[in-house]
Amino acid sequence: RKEGELEGNVGNKVRLDEVDTRLPDVAGLSQGAQEEIEQLIGYIKNAEDYLEMGARLPAGVLLVGPPGTGKTLLARAIAGEA
C-alpha cells in the first residue's frame, strides 16, 4: 500500500488527498450523532494529546446499518475532516 492511501476490506482504494467530502455533505445526522462524530474527529486530529493522557487509539469504527443509509458517505466525511 502506498503512503497516503487507505484500503478497504473489499480492496477499494481511497487516496486521502482525493477525499473532498465533509460533514456538511452528510444530511440527516441527529445532534447527538453530530457531537459524537465531532469528538471522533477531534480524537483523530489530536491523537498525541490523548495518548499523553493515557488513552489508547481504537483499531477502527464500526458503522452498522442497512444498504443505502449513508455509511460510506459518513466514513468519507470523517476521513475528509480528519
Side-chain angles (χ1 to χ4, degrees):
R1 166 168 73 175
K2 296 178 184 175
E3 185 176 333
E5 202 173 73
L6 294 177
E7 186 171 331
N9 61 351
V10 294
N12 296 335
K13 293 185 179 178
V14 177
R15 292 213 29 95
L16 295 178
D17 57 345
E18 294 175 359
V19 176
D20 58 355
T21 308
R22 301 286 186 245
L23 279 180
D25 298 329
V26 181
L29 281 178
S30 68
Q31 182 66 28
Q34 177 81 22
E35 290 173 3
E36 290 205 25
I37 297 297
E38 289 172 358
Q39 288 176 0
L40 173 64
I41 292 168
Y43 185 75
I44 293 170
K45 283 183 174 180
N46 304 307
E48 296 83 23
D49 296 338
Y50 287 93
L51 290 172
E52 287 176 9
M53 290 186 273
R56 293 188 314 147
L57 290 173
V61 176
L62 182 63
L63 300 175
V64 179
T69 56
K71 297 180 299 292
T72 301
L73 179 64
L74 183 57
R76 285 182 166 273
I78 293 170
E81 293 286 342

